[in-house]
Amino acid sequence: MTESDLFSSAPAPQETVVFEPTRNAGLERLERFASRTGSHYASQRNYDYGALHRSSVSALSPWIRHRLITEQEVLIKTLARHSPNAAMKFIQEVFWRGYFKGWLEQHPSVWTHYQSGLQAGLEVLETDAARNLDYSDAIAGRTGIACFDHWCHELETTGYLHNHARMWFASIWIFTLRLPWELGADFFLRHLIDGDPAANTLSWRWVGGLHTKGKTYLARPSNIAKYTNGRFEPTGQLASHADPLIEDFEHAFVPLSQPTSQSPDTYLRLITPEDCHPENTQAGATVGVLGLVGAPSSQQNARVTAFQTGAVEGAVKRADTTGATYVCGANWAETIIDAAAHAGTKDVVTSWAPIGPTASHLAAASSQLEHAGLRLHQSHRAYDRHTWPYANKGFFKLKKQIPTIMRELELLAP
């Protein structure tokens, strides 16, 4: 019997996580879980005991996703409790998010093809009644597959799913229900409060056999039974084979973008849901602070909207009590131009927006900002600068460099 079997045979302790969109809430959860980032996490991380029993995982992803707390802070707290070897499994999981974000930055066509595939899938729903019914039953949790339907309900009501449940869900969606992966990825992105364009898109592609070409992830009843501690056992209900998805397109490698210029002496600080930790990140003097959140779609879970908006509002107030936050539609340029004029500056500084909706909003605003004489400066965090260059192939390449990266970030001794 393994250590994980010994753990799983006992009832999991009750432990819920309340996802409040504040930095303090993230720090409190980090402090509570830090002691468990060693052997406990390594042995328990794959077990999904349900929403009332989150002791097996950190559940820090919503705060890390919006950088209410940063990866470096998580690593510092972890290394204060455990040696690198003892906590390496947890440390690697922290770096997975950086891997996905760096990989998508260097293969941007994956995002545009996902969006095209999503639009095509939505158009099919309008003309194919049978497909529309299958899709509607899936997102409403009416498939008759108890575990899948439960996860739909959990996602709707909490805005969160255990990572193992996400893999099972995606596999069932693709290989059992035979629904387009893009529609499933969109469903996740609209309901997960930690929904990340890179991690979400590439994880769905990995399950379907597109990220690592030909390698799929098949949800098996025995695996689900074991790692839900017997809560579910969908024997005879799931696909027993997973043929990889195929796409007739090669996603070209694109070198990482670099900051266009050094930070100005004075500037308007722009805060977006991509980075809600403005403290000590930029030289120069802030003469105004503006928070912007993209307007949600009608299908977006209210919890996602509330977390993003709350995270940005809190960051703005921490940076400047007179700052303002706006929820904007497609045109961000006018709001930025007005805020810069009020602050009396032609320079706007924001943290780098990785590929996704925020980056698209800023790209769409760029020509109008330039026409108004404004200069937009995007700054990279040191963690991203050191991590992303190793994220151009498989995770193994980055994994080998984790000790080097941590030394470069002064998290480990030289």
Side-chain angles (χ1 to χ4, degrees):
M1 180 176 288
T2 65
E3 182 181 9
S4 62
D5 291 328
L6 288 170
F7 271 110
S8 64
S9 62
Q14 183 164 336
E15 181 172 310
T16 58
V17 180
V18 179
F19 297 112
E20 295 179 358
T22 66
R23 174 164 166 78
N24 283 342
L27 290 172
E28 288 172 6
R29 177 60 187 175
L30 175 58
E31 180 65 32
R32 182 172 186 178
F33 194 79
S35 63
R36 292 179 246 164
T37 54
S39 61
H40 175 90
Y41 178 81
S43 63
Q44 287 286 280
R45 58 184 289 270
N46 285 328
Y47 285 92
D48 177 14
Y49 298 113
L52 299 180
H53 305 276
R54 292 295 186 210
S55 62
S56 61
V57 291
S58 73
L60 289 168
S61 53
W63 294 285
I64 299 174
R65 157 68 182 99
H66 300 290
R67 278 185 166 159
L68 283 163
I69 60 175
T70 68
E71 293 92 338
Q72 280 187 249
E73 288 179 307
V74 174
L75 294 171
I76 289 170
K77 184 67 70 171
T78 298
L79 293 170
R81 299 294 188 93
H82 304 283
S83 70
N85 286 340
M88 187 50 67
K89 180 55 68 176
F90 180 79
I91 290 170
Q92 289 171 0
E93 290 303 309
V94 173
F95 275 93
W96 263 104
R97 183 174 295 271
Y99 165 74
F100 281 137
K101 296 179 88 68
W103 196 95
L104 192 60
E105 287 292 295
Q106 296 172 89
H107 301 84
S109 62
V110 168
W111 177 250
T112 55
H113 273 69
Y114 156 65
Q115 292 180 305
S116 297
L118 172 59
Q119 185 59 41
L122 292 172
E123 290 173 358
V124 168
L125 296 182
E126 295 179 358
T127 58
D128 189 330
R131 177 57 63 90
N132 196 323
L133 180 60
D134 291 342
Y135 170 76
S136 298
D137 284 344
I139 64 174
R142 296 192 300 258
T143 68
I145 303 172
C147 57
F148 185 93
D149 294 345
H150 172 86
W151 294 323
C152 277
H153 177 71
E154 185 177 333
L155 182 57
E156 290 270 5
T157 56
T158 70
Y160 181 86
L161 282 181
H162 186 288
N163 189 60
H164 211 161
R166 300 183 197 200
M167 294 165 58
W168 292 322
F169 186 104
S171 180
I172 294 170
W173 181 284
I174 295 170
F175 301 118
T176 298
L177 303 179
R178 298 288 180 179
L179 290 167
W181 73 267
E182 295 94 340
L183 293 179
D186 175 64
F187 180 63
F188 267 18
L189 206 55
R190 287 188 286 108
H191 288 83
L192 287 168
I193 56 177
D194 64 4
D196 179 277
N200 186 64
T201 303
L202 298 182
S203 293
W204 275 83
R205 286 174 58 85
W206 179 80
V207 168
L210 294 173
H211 185 65
T212 303
K213 290 189 181 300
K215 182 179 180 180
T216 59
Y217 176 79
L218 181 64
R220 299 183 184 279
S222 59
N223 186 264
I224 292 174
K226 176 180 179 179
Y227 288 108
T228 61
N229 216 22
R231 290 189 302 131
F232 303 107
E233 190 170 0
T235 301
Q237 293 185 290
L238 309 185
S240 59
H241 185 71
D243 290 322
L245 303 179
I246 298 173
E247 61 181 353
D248 187 22
F249 186 85
E250 290 294 328
H251 297 285
F253 169 79
V254 177
L256 288 167
S257 299
Q258 300 297 324
T260 56
S261 61
Q262 293 185 347
S263 299
D265 293 333
T266 61
Y267 55 84
L268 171 73
R269 159 65 74 175
L270 172 61
I271 297 175
T272 75
E274 299 303 317
D275 196 314
C276 297
H277 186 52
E279 294 88 346
N280 302 322
T281 59
Q282 203 68 40
T286 301
V287 293
V289 178
L290 169 67
L292 287 180
V293 181
S297 69
S298 59
Q299 293 82 28
Q300 183 164 298
N301 192 310
R303 287 177 175 78
V304 175
T305 304
F307 197 96
Q308 289 183 355
T309 305
V312 172
E313 286 177 341
V316 168
K317 294 305 180 184
R318 294 198 313 275
D320 182 352
T321 56
T322 66
T325 299
Y326 298 91
V327 177
C328 293
N331 189 351
W332 283 19
E334 292 181 3
T335 305
I336 296 173
I337 291 169
D338 289 346
H342 180 75
T345 182
K346 290 294 186 179
D347 291 289
V348 181
V349 170
T350 190
S351 296
W352 186 266
I355 287 173
T358 298
S360 297
H361 283 304
L362 293 177
S366 61
S367 61
Q368 200 170 340
L369 296 180
E370 184 177 354
H371 182 73
L374 297 187
R375 294 172 291 271
L376 180 65
H377 311 263
Q378 293 195 57
S379 59
H380 283 95
R381 285 190 177 273
Y383 179 87
D384 297 335
R385 291 200 308 271
H386 288 284
T387 300
W388 289 1
Y390 298 112
N392 54 6
K393 294 184 179 179
F395 180 72
F396 183 72
K397 178 180 178 181
L398 188 151
K399 177 181 174 180
K400 292 194 300 182
Q401 297 298 326
I402 288 176
T404 299
I405 296 170
M406 291 200 297
R407 284 192 292 270
E408 291 171 343
L409 294 171
E410 299 183 348
L411 302 176
L412 295 179

